[in-house]
């Protein structure tokens, strides 16, 4: 078996990788410039934007212990857990520096020109410049790729970048199928990709001395490099072990107790990582849980004597990416620990012995112990379990559709009488009872799905799957009116308040948010909640502003009916909505 080169393995030109690395290091040496831009060569189709890192500790951490902030959803609307409405968190200092780049009008003009010329935009950076490149890539994907399918996808290549965002960012990037655009190179001992796992308070002074060394103001690594390395690795250990316990399904109350008073770092890796072993090999990992474990275990030392040597190596390695890749990129044996298959990940050690031997050698070169390998297997097992969970709920699609078909048939029968909503609210016929059974059966299935999402038991891509978004929208439009009818028939509003306050179940909120996000719709009261608005207007009958509210609602109803999002049975003569209109417009 011949050597598989990295460019062939990842479908990225080696020329692009080397040019990006060269420009990333050039930007590192020109911190006075926000970024550099250049075509790889006159005939190439790529334009590279390389961002300068910062050598001031204040540009690495801001505010809290780990310096994180909620992401600006105006700028990054996709960086959230959609259905559960959880916003991702990013490093505030890096975000502010990216904002400064974005405020530079020249940057947007150059990016726009590259897009117009149908060139691939490559964002790159070394050290904290890599963090800016990551944010720039996410911004580009939001502005260009999410808005237009005609735009060439960008590429982000980082070299020794610190971590930028939390696990929500990772979920969002995978949901949008953007992971493959982020490729992060990490030298085995480079300490910088692990720094974000450590609170600033424990390393602030040491970090500034390290940054001074990176600026080549000091000929040798600082004397406290071993203490700095040990502090970062200890914190990385806490994060990795906590994550491993979660992956392996630990339910120990001690785990939660410890995490309640020892705050672990929120930062997590995402995208593809290429670990440079230091022995001429490259190890590719795309499973973010596995990457976190490798970041910790590959930095472990076997003896106390190694501490000083490795600590100094960890700083020198941070400046050695260009030399290493120039020497090994074209000749390196590439080991892909996880093979892609329909967005799934399968660990390579489950294959033929020759391939397994190759994997074992690569893991040895990364210094991964048996415990480390167990953590990697657990990360892969978790990914497989999520896929099995999806298979389970995929198997319930037919049950969902069968129930929805029954309710749609019930809806068409009601359309000839008083209307779907009012018929169910009065529940005077046997068919109303059967409709309620179908409603409850569907509630059970969808509540189970939402609970699995809350426990992160489904693939990160689940919320972006068109089939489930479509099925969720159909479910919401057909069944939510029945839930609203049941809510007001039993006067639950008198105890809990309006349906749209605390009465609306998560299953409808989630399915609505999936569609809103996929179709980039504004956050408004949806058509499926029409009857909740009607009920509240009936309760407020005679109050000031009621007529204006009814007229506004009538305008929305006409639009919903025209778009076939709402049935025209809502306008039947004896429907509650028609009676509401007659009551107000005849008496006023």
């Amino acid at each position: 078996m011949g050597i598989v080169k990295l460019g062939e393995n990842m479908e990225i030109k080696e020329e692009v990788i080397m040019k990006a690395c060269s420009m990333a290091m050039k930007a590192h040496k020109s911190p006075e410039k926000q970024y550099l831009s250049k075509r790889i060569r006159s005939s190439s189709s790529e334009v590279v934007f390389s961002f300068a890192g910062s050598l001031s500790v204040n540009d690495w951490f801001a505010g809290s212990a780990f310096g994180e902030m909620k992401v600006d959803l105006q700028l990054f609307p996709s960086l959230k857990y959609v259905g559960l409405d959880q916003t991702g968190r990013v490093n505030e200092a890096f975000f502010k520096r990216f904002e400064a780049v974005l405020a530079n009008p020249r940057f947007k003009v150059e990016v726009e020109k590259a897009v117009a010329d149908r060139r691939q935009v490559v964002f790159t950076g070394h050290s904290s410049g890599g963090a800016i490149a990551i944010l720039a890539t996410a911004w580009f994907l939001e502005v260009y790729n999410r808005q237009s399918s005609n735009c060439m996808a960008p590429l982000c290549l980082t070299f020794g970048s610190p971590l930028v965002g939390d696990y929500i960012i990772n979920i969002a990037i995978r949901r949008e199928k953007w992971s493959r655009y982020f490729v992060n190179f990490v030298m085995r001992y480079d300490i910088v990709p692990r720094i974000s796992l450590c609170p600033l308070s424990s390393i602030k002074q040491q970090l500034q001395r390290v940054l001074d060394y990176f600026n080549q103001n000091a000929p040798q690594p600082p004397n406290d490099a071993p203490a700095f390395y040990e502090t970062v690795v200890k914190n990385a250990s806490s994060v990795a072990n906590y994550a491993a316990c979660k992956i392996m399904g630990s339910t120990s109350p001690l785990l939660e107790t410890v995490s309640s008073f020892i705050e672990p770092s929120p930062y997590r890796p995402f995208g593809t990582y290429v670990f440079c072993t230091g022995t001429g090999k490259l190890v590719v990992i795309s499973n973010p849980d596995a990457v976190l474990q490798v970041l910790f275990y590959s930095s472990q030392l076997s003896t106390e004597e190694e501490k000083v040597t490795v600590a100094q190596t960890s700083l020198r390695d941070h400046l050695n990416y260009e030399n290493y890749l120039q020497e090994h990129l074209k000749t390196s044996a590439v080991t892909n620990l996880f093979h892609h298959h329909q967005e799934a990940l399968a660990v390579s050690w489950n294959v033929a012995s020759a391939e397994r031997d190759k994997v074992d050698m690569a893991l040895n070169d990364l210094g991964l112990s048996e415990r480390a390998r167990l953590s990697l297997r657990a990360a892969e097992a978790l990914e497989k379990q999520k896929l099995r969970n999806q298979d389970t709920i995929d198997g319930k699609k037919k049950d969902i559709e069968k129930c929805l078909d029954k309710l749609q048939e019930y809806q068409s029968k009601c359309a000839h009488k008083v209307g779907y909503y009012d018929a169910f609210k009065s529940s005077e016929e046997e068919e109303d009872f059967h409709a309620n059974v179908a409603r409850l059966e569907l509630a059970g299935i969808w509540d189970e799905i939402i609970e699995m999402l809350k426990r992160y038991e489904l693939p990160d891509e689940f919320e972006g799957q068109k089939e489930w978004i479509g099925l969720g929208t159909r479910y919401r439009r057909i069944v939510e009116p029945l839930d609203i009818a049941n809510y007001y028939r039993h006067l639950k509003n008198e105890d809990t308040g309006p349906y749209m306050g605390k009465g609306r179940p998560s299953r409808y909120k989630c399915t609505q948010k999936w569609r809103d996000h996929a179709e980039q719709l504004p956050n408004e009261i949806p058509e499926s909640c029409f009857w909740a608005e009607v009920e509240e207007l009936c309760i407020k009958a005679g109050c000031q502003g009621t007529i204006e509210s009814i007229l506004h609602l009538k305008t929305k109803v006409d639009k919903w009916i025209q778009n076939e999002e709402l049935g025209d049975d809502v306008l039947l003569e004896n429907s509650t909505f028609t009676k509401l209109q007659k009551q107000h417009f005849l008496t006023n």
Side-chain angles (χ1 to χ4, degrees):
M1 182 170 60
I3 292 175
V4 178
K5 298 179 182 178
L6 185 68
E8 297 167 358
N9 186 287
M10 304 185 66
E11 298 180 354
I12 303 173
K13 298 175 192 171
E14 289 165 7
E15 178 188 24
V16 173
I17 296 172
M18 282 311 310
K19 184 64 178 180
C21 186
S22 173
M23 285 190 64
M25 297 309 298
K26 188 175 180 180
H28 173 80
K29 296 170 184 175
S30 308
E32 71 282 357
K33 298 179 182 178
Q34 284 182 325
Y35 71 95
L36 306 173
S37 62
K38 190 175 183 180
R39 292 258 299 275
I40 288 180
R41 48 187 163 76
S42 58
S43 60
S44 70
S45 60
E46 299 89 3
V47 178
V48 180
F49 290 81
S50 58
F51 298 93
S54 174
L55 298 167
S56 168
V57 73
N58 293 328
D59 288 333
W60 285 68
F61 290 94
S64 63
F66 294 98
E68 79 276 17
M69 61 171 274
K70 282 190 175 182
V71 74
D72 181 354
L73 292 178
Q74 293 293 317
L75 204 55
F76 298 105
S78 297
L79 299 188
K80 61 188 176 186
Y81 200 8
V82 176
L84 301 180
D85 206 23
Q86 296 175 1
T87 302
R89 292 178 292 170
V90 295
N91 180 297
E92 183 177 358
F94 298 155
F95 178 78
K96 296 297 184 188
R97 285 176 55 209
F98 170 67
E99 277 190 319
V101 172
L102 211 54
N104 183 340
R106 186 169 68 92
F107 173 72
K108 286 186 178 180
V109 168
E110 289 187 44
V111 170
E112 190 69 44
K113 185 177 187 309
V115 171
D117 292 344
R118 298 286 298 158
R119 302 192 186 284
Q120 183 181 38
V121 174
V122 180
F123 294 114
T124 188
H126 169 258
S127 199
S128 63
I132 312 307
I134 288 169
L135 292 171
T137 307
W139 165 79
F140 185 98
L141 287 162
E142 294 276 20
V143 172
Y144 294 100
N145 291 80
R146 199 150 187 270
Q147 306 296 334
S148 171
S149 58
N150 296 323
C151 179
M152 286 189 71
L155 179 62
C156 179
L157 297 170
T158 74
F159 305 89
S161 172
L163 302 177
V164 176
D166 68 353
Y167 69 100
I168 297 293
I169 303 292
N170 172 54
I171 289 173
I173 293 292
R174 298 186 83 186
R175 181 193 63 242
E176 302 295 329
K177 294 186 170 63
W178 291 346
S179 284
R180 62 187 181 276
Y181 305 134
F182 296 86
V183 181
N184 307 284
F185 287 82
V186 173
M187 298 285 283
R188 175 183 170 181
Y189 287 116
D190 184 358
I191 200 63
V192 172
R194 287 105 170 163
I195 282 177
S196 298
L197 300 175
C198 190
L200 171 64
S201 57
S202 60
I203 58 167
K204 189 169 185 177
Q205 292 181 342
Q206 295 167 320
L207 178 57
Q208 187 57 66
R209 286 192 287 274
V210 166
L211 294 175
D212 288 341
Y213 168 70
F214 291 156
N215 195 27
Q216 299 178 339
N217 287 340
Q220 294 293 328
N223 292 332
D224 54 0
F228 174 73
Y229 185 86
E230 185 176 17
T231 301
V232 173
V233 170
K234 277 184 178 179
N235 280 276
S237 169
S238 300
V239 175
N241 287 330
Y242 177 78
C245 288
K246 288 284 191 181
I247 290 170
M248 296 176 189
S250 172
T251 56
S252 169
L254 180 61
L255 186 66
E256 297 303 324
T257 302
V258 170
S259 64
S260 66
F261 64 84
I262 301 177
E263 182 187 9
S265 168
Y267 298 108
R268 294 294 182 271
F270 61 83
T272 298
Y273 272 68
V274 181
F275 285 92
C276 307
T277 64
T279 59
K281 296 188 182 73
L282 300 173
V283 180
V284 180
I285 309 177
S286 299
N287 181 316
D289 292 316
V291 170
L292 179 63
Q293 298 302 317
V294 173
L295 280 173
F296 164 59
Y297 281 107
S298 64
S299 63
Q300 291 301 286
L301 308 178
S302 55
T303 64
E304 187 68 22
E305 289 72 32
E306 285 184 330
K307 189 185 296 184
V308 173
T309 303
V310 171
Q312 293 178 344
T313 300
S314 74
L315 302 185
R316 293 191 180 108
D317 271 1
H318 186 62
L319 302 173
N320 201 36
Y321 284 90
E322 189 173 11
N323 293 336
Y324 187 88
L325 291 177
Q326 279 179 344
E327 183 177 354
H328 298 294
L329 184 60
K330 292 184 178 180
T331 59
S332 285
V334 178
T335 303
N336 201 328
L337 286 195
F338 296 78
H339 293 299
H340 280 286
H341 177 62
Q342 296 178 341
E343 297 299 322
L345 299 160
V347 171
S348 300
W349 48 68
N350 291 332
V351 297
S353 59
E355 186 70 13
R356 190 166 56 245
D357 290 344
K358 177 184 169 187
V359 170
D360 281 339
M361 287 178 63
L363 297 181
N364 288 337
D365 285 351
L366 281 175
L368 301 188
S369 63
E370 283 303 313
R371 181 168 179 171
R373 297 174 196 218
L374 180 62
S375 296
L376 295 185
R377 289 187 176 95
E380 198 250 350
L382 177 64
E383 200 76 24
K384 284 186 173 181
Q385 183 59 53
K386 288 182 178 182
L387 291 169
R388 286 195 293 270
N389 291 343
Q390 165 126 31
D391 287 342
T392 299
I393 64 167
D394 281 348
K396 296 183 180 181
K397 282 179 185 175
K398 288 184 179 179
D399 294 334
I400 293 173
E401 288 168 346
K402 186 177 178 181
C403 284
L404 291 176
D405 289 343
K406 285 181 182 177
L407 288 174
Q408 218 156 10
E409 185 180 343
Y410 167 72
Q411 186 178 31
S412 63
K413 288 179 181 177
C414 295
H416 300 298
K417 303 174 186 176
V418 70
Y420 183 49
Y421 178 82
D422 288 288
F424 187 80
K425 188 178 179 185
S426 60
S427 288
E428 295 172 350
E429 307 288 340
E430 184 179 344
E431 57 192 14
D432 302 323
F433 169 78
H434 292 305
N436 194 45
V437 171
R439 176 183 75 90
L440 294 173
E441 185 178 339
L442 285 165
I445 295 172
W446 281 96
D447 283 345
E448 181 183 354
I449 292 170
I450 302 308
E451 283 304 310
M452 293 175 84
L453 281 172
K454 287 179 179 177
R455 297 192 298 265
Y456 309 105
E457 292 175 354
L458 291 173
D460 297 330
E461 297 80 9
F462 178 77
E463 289 193 308
Q465 293 172 1
K466 289 183 179 178
E467 194 172 358
W468 276 102
I469 293 170
L471 192 57
T473 301
R474 186 184 175 211
Y475 163 69
R476 179 171 53 80
R477 287 176 177 167
I478 292 174
V479 185
E480 187 161 22
L482 305 186
D483 267 31
I484 295 168
N486 186 71
Y487 189 83
Y488 285 95
R489 177 158 65 95
H490 292 290
L491 303 177
K492 292 182 181 179
N493 57 300
E494 294 183 1
D495 295 327
T496 313
Y499 175 84
M500 290 303 292
K502 297 180 180 178
R504 194 180 189 209
S506 295
R507 56 183 178 271
Y508 299 125
K509 294 177 183 177
C510 280
T511 50
Q512 179 197 336
K513 285 170 185 169
W514 295 349
R515 177 177 177 253
D516 287 352
H517 177 71
E519 299 184 18
Q520 301 180 51
L521 300 174
N523 184 21
E524 297 175 346
I525 295 176
E527 70 290 339
S528 60
C529 293
F530 159 71
W531 286 109
E533 291 192 78
V534 172
E535 291 285 3
E536 289 304 316
L537 286 171
C538 288
I539 292 169
K540 297 172 184 173
C543 294
Q544 187 176 3
T546 305
I547 292 176
E548 290 79 2
S549 297
I550 294 171
L551 288 171
H552 180 63
L553 183 57
K554 179 64 169 65
T555 301
K556 291 196 292 184
V557 167
D558 291 340
K559 181 183 175 183
W560 287 332
I561 292 175
Q562 183 180 355
N563 294 339
E564 298 183 349
E565 297 174 344
L566 193 66
D568 58 8
D569 63 319
V570 302
L571 302 177
L572 286 172
E573 187 175 351
N574 291 320
S575 81
T576 301
F577 183 51
T578 301
K579 290 178 180 178
L580 176 69
Q581 293 181 85
K582 285 181 179 179
Q583 176 188 348
H584 280 80
F585 296 117
L586 288 177
T587 57
N588 289 279

